Every structure is written in C-alpha cells, then in structure tokens.
C-alpha cells in the first residue's frame, strides 16, 4: 500500500505496549490544554490549514503522511520535523522519508510562526502537527475526531534509527498483519487506517512491477482492471527517467476523504499490490467489504484508530521541550548511544540548526 507516495501503514510499526510511564504521560494531555495559555490555538490552526489546502490541494495528504511517519519512530513528538546538520543526519533524511512532500512541513512552519507571535514558547510542534492532520482530514470530507493536547517536542531525531521500523511496499499481507499484531493494533485497525489512501498519490516506482514484466505469463498483474492497467502503463512509461511520475491512490475521488478507496479495491482499481492484498486475503477482505458498504463505519473506526496513533509514546514534562522553531532543537543534542543516553563529551559543537533555513518549501 502507499500513503501519498508510500504505504499508510508503513508508518505505524514501532508502538510499544502501554506501560505505567506512558499511561501517566497520556493522562497529562487534555482537550482544553491551551484554553488559557494560547486561547487562539485552534483558530490559528484552522485558518492556516484552510488557506494552505485551498492554495495547494495536496496538503491534506502530505500532512497526514507526515503525521504518521512522525509518530512511528520516536512517538508523536515532531522528531521528523528536525533538519539535519553537520553533526547529525535526522529522520527526515532517511531514504524512506526524503520523498515526504514539502507542503506538509510548510504548513506546520506557517502555523508555528503565527503561534509564536500570538503566544511565544507555548505550543509544541508535535501538537501543531497532530491538530493540522486532524483538521485537514475533516476539511477534505473525513471524520472529525477528538484530540488531546500537551505533547512536548522530542529531543532525538536520527536517520540511523529508522531502518526496520517501517514496512515496505513489497511486504506480504501476513508480514504486515504480524507487524500490527506486535504493536497491539488489530487487523481491523490495519484496514481502517489504510483507508487514508483515499487521498494522495503514489509514485510510479511504487507499483511499476504490476505494470511491466509482471510474470513470465502476464505483462501486467491480472488482478488489475484491464483498462486501469493500460492507463497506468501509459502514465508510467517513462518512470525510470522521470521518477516524479505518479498516480492518484483513489482514481475516482482523489481529493476527497471517503470510502471509494475500498470500493475501488473490489473493482480491481487498487493501485499497489499491498492495496490489492487487502481485498484478496480472507483476514482483511471482510473489513474491506464492510467499509465499502458503510462509510459511516469506516469514519468511526478510522477516527478511533488514529486517536490511538496520536498517543504513541507522547512526551510530557521534562521528557521533551517546546521548540522555538520546528526544524531545530532549542539546544544541539549531544550524540546519542543505542540506549537513548547522551554519550560523555567535553566538546559541544555550536547549534548550526539555528542558521539553517526551513527546507520544507
């Protein structure tokens, strides 16, 4: 499956089972966290995401993908927003993250800038990203789900921690199901969250194997609708020389968050092999059929699942900070070992992040 240019669910693979400290952190989050300290928080988020989505209709898919990718590794702590510098290659520069569209980063930067003028040092980038994703899902027709706020921004962002925490589009459905099971997410969660493929697009290299030299007996994947496959072959004919070529995940209503994605799967219009696997595997097919027939049920289950995602390993109190800008830690972090503990060092390099421009445009 591909969410925007990768799988929706490739971003949900590092959640640990709840433990007391995590439960305590979540308990500190509230719906009205900013009512007194930044009363215009919701108003500012709403205004800026609306302006951005109208100007750039791909923003909703970009932000939703950015949100999932952020939550999967270090938790929902805006670690994916950190820019690399001379001393650290950050998460956003890992190979699987470099294609995340700049519009996602840009809208968060715009919101942060406005909030710093309104209530400096109060609202975390992690909360901004969570709110922006929720508002944009709703703006393009999806469900409005409740969020709790009070997250702090994380203090770690390293590209070398990414590998092994994301599924790849060539994985089997059994591998994906096992990954979800290991993080306490059910098969139904998998299918519901995959419904975010109803918006956004995927690059041709993500599904080209279904179109060209599929097997010794078939040029294209026979599971694809014949006319759809032919159209994709024409679209992606030059994908090796033009890697930017892409197709909408939902060929029917690509800009609207609805249940057409699931109906498309039933018609052979699933873009990726892992999309198609949802409708052919007996463990996932019942949920595909359920959501194809009942959009309200899809919205309900998607909202509940994404709420759980929004609470992945959140940081509160001294376990994080409120960044002054979303692409840089307030203070340059010392090198981290594999246990998340700073290594002893008497040499602290200067914070070059403060001199770097935001690279989200």
């Amino acid at each position: 499956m591909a969410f925007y240019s990768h799988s929706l669910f490739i971003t949900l693979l590092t959640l640990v089972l709840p433990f007391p400290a995590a439960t305590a952190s979540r308990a500190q989050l509230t719906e009205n966290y900013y009512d007194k300290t930044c009363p215009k928080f919701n108003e500012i988020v709403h205004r800026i995401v609306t302006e951005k989505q109208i100007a750039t209709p791909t923003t909703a898919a970009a932000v939703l993908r950015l949100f999932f990718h952020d939550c999967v590794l270090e938790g929902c702590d805006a670690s994916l927003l950190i820019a690399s510098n001379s001393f650290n290659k950050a998460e956003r520069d890992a190979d699987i993250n470099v294609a995340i569209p700049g519009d996602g980063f840009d809208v968060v930067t715009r919101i942060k800038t406005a909030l710093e003028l309104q209530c400096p040092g109060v609202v975390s980038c992690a909360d901004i990203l969570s709110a922006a994703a929720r508002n944009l899902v709703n703006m393009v027709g999806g469900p409005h789900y409740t969020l709790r706020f009070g997250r702090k921004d994380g203090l770690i962002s390293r590209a070398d921690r990414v590998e092994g925490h994301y599924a790849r589009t060539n994985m089997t459905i059994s591998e994906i199901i096992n990954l979800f099971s290991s993080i306490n997410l059910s098969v139904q969660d998998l299918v519901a969250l995959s419904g975010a493929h109803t918006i956004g697009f995927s690059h041709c290299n993500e599904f080209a194997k279904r179109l060209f030299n599929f097997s010794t007996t078939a040029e294209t994947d026979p599971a694809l609708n014949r006319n759809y496959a032919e159209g994709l072959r024409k679209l992606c004919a030059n994908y090796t020389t033009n890697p930017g070529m892409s197709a909408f995940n939902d060929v029917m209503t690509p800009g609207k968050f609805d249940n057409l994605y699931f109906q498309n799967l039933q018609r052979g219009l699933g873009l990726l092999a892992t999309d198609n696997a949802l409708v052919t595997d007996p463990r996932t097919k019942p949920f595909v059929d359920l959501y194809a027939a009942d959009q309200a049920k899809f919205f309900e289950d998607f909202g509940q699942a994404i709420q759980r995602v929004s609470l992945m390993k959140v940081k509160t109190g001294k376990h994080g900070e409120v960044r002054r800008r979303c692409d840089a830690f307030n203070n340059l972090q010392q090198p981290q070992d594999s246990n998340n503990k700073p290594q002893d060092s008497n040499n602290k390099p200067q914070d070059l992040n403060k001199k770097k421009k935001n690279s989200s445009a």
Side-chain angles (χ1 to χ4, degrees), residues 32-44 114-116 118-120 122-123:
N32 59 353
Y33 187 84
Y34 294 113
D35 282 3
K36 293 183 179 179
T37 57
C38 193
K40 292 189 177 181
F41 166 66
N42 287 313
E43 176 186 330
I44 289 173
L115 287 170
E116 284 299 298
Q118 181 69 33
C119 43
V122 173
V123 182

Side-chain angles (χ1 to χ4, degrees), residues 281-354:
D281 191 282
R283 294 164 292 183
T284 52
K285 185 179 186 300
F287 300 114
V288 171
D289 294 340
L290 171 64
Y291 297 145
D294 190 342
Q295 179 168 281
K297 179 60 175 172
F298 164 48
F299 279 14
E300 177 186 355
D301 290 352
F302 177 87
Q304 292 176 355
I306 202 171
Q307 282 177 319
R308 292 194 290 275
V309 171
S310 75
L311 298 175
M312 284 182 174
K313 294 184 286 185
V314 295
K315 279 78 173 174
T316 57
K318 297 181 179 179
H319 297 289
E321 64 181 4
V322 175
R323 292 186 203 137
R324 289 185 289 271
R325 51 184 290 175
C326 291
D327 66 341
F329 300 117
N330 290 341
N331 297 292
L332 184 66
Q333 302 302 294
Q334 297 181 31
Q336 302 285 316
D337 65 20
S338 60
N339 294 317
N340 276 354
K341 296 179 180 179
Q343 298 173 349
D344 292 333
S345 174
N346 293 321
N347 299 316
K348 297 183 179 180
Q350 296 297 309
D351 186 352
L352 299 187
N353 266 330
K354 295 180 179 179

Side-chain angles (χ1 to χ4, degrees), residues 85-306:
N85 58 32
S86 299
F87 307 100
N88 178 58
K89 183 178 179 181
E91 286 176 36
R92 68 193 287 176
D93 288 324
D95 66 337
I96 202 168
N97 288 329
V98 292
I100 294 177
D103 289 318
F105 295 92
D106 179 63
V107 72
V108 173
T109 299
R110 294 185 186 200
I111 296 169
K112 179 63 172 175
T113 300
L115 287 170
E116 284 299 298
L117 293 173
Q118 181 69 33
C119 43
V122 173
V123 182
S124 69
C125 300
D127 278 346
I128 291 172
L129 181 55
S130 298
R134 187 269 309 275
N135 286 23
L136 283 163
V137 165
N138 185 240
M139 184 177 174
V140 294
H144 184 279
Y145 50 90
T146 300
L147 283 176
R148 288 183 281 162
F149 299 106
R151 300 166 188 77
K152 291 296 178 66
D153 298 322
L155 303 173
I156 300 170
S157 180
R158 286 175 39 177
D160 61 8
R161 298 169 67 90
V162 168
E163 189 59 38
H165 293 287
Y166 296 82
R168 300 286 179 169
T169 55
N170 61 355
M171 293 182 72
T172 66
I173 197 66
S174 290
E175 290 172 322
I176 299 298
I177 289 174
N178 289 338
L179 283 168
F180 266 62
S181 177
S182 71
I183 58 175
N184 205 33
L185 289 173
S186 69
V187 173
Q188 187 165 8
D189 291 329
L190 185 161
V191 180
L193 290 168
S194 297
H197 295 191
T198 187
I199 56 176
F201 58 81
S202 299
H203 290 93
C204 289
N205 66 339
E206 294 292 330
F207 52 88
K209 290 182 179 179
R210 304 188 73 193
L211 305 177
F212 307 104
N213 301 314
F214 177 74
S215 70
T216 57
T217 59
E219 177 67 14
T220 61
D221 185 348
L224 277 170
N225 175 283
R226 182 178 299 180
N227 292 333
Y228 183 48
E230 185 59 31
L232 290 174
R233 281 172 57 86
K234 292 179 181 178
L235 175 69
C236 298
N238 299 318
Y239 81 95
T240 56
T241 56
N242 185 358
M245 294 303 298
S246 58
F248 289 118
N249 293 330
D250 176 354
V251 69
M252 297 299 184
T253 55
K256 184 178 180 182
F257 198 103
D258 56 24
N259 69 335
L260 263 292
Y261 164 76
F262 297 106
Q263 295 179 23
N264 290 341
L265 296 184
Q266 296 173 323
R267 300 166 181 162
L269 301 175
L271 189 61
L272 302 184
T274 41
D275 287 328
N276 183 68
L278 292 178
V279 77
T280 58
D281 191 282
R283 294 164 292 183
T284 52
K285 185 179 186 300
F287 300 114
V288 171
D289 294 340
L290 171 64
Y291 297 145
D294 190 342
Q295 179 168 281
K297 179 60 175 172
F298 164 48
F299 279 14
E300 177 186 355
D301 290 352
F302 177 87
Q304 292 176 355
I306 202 171

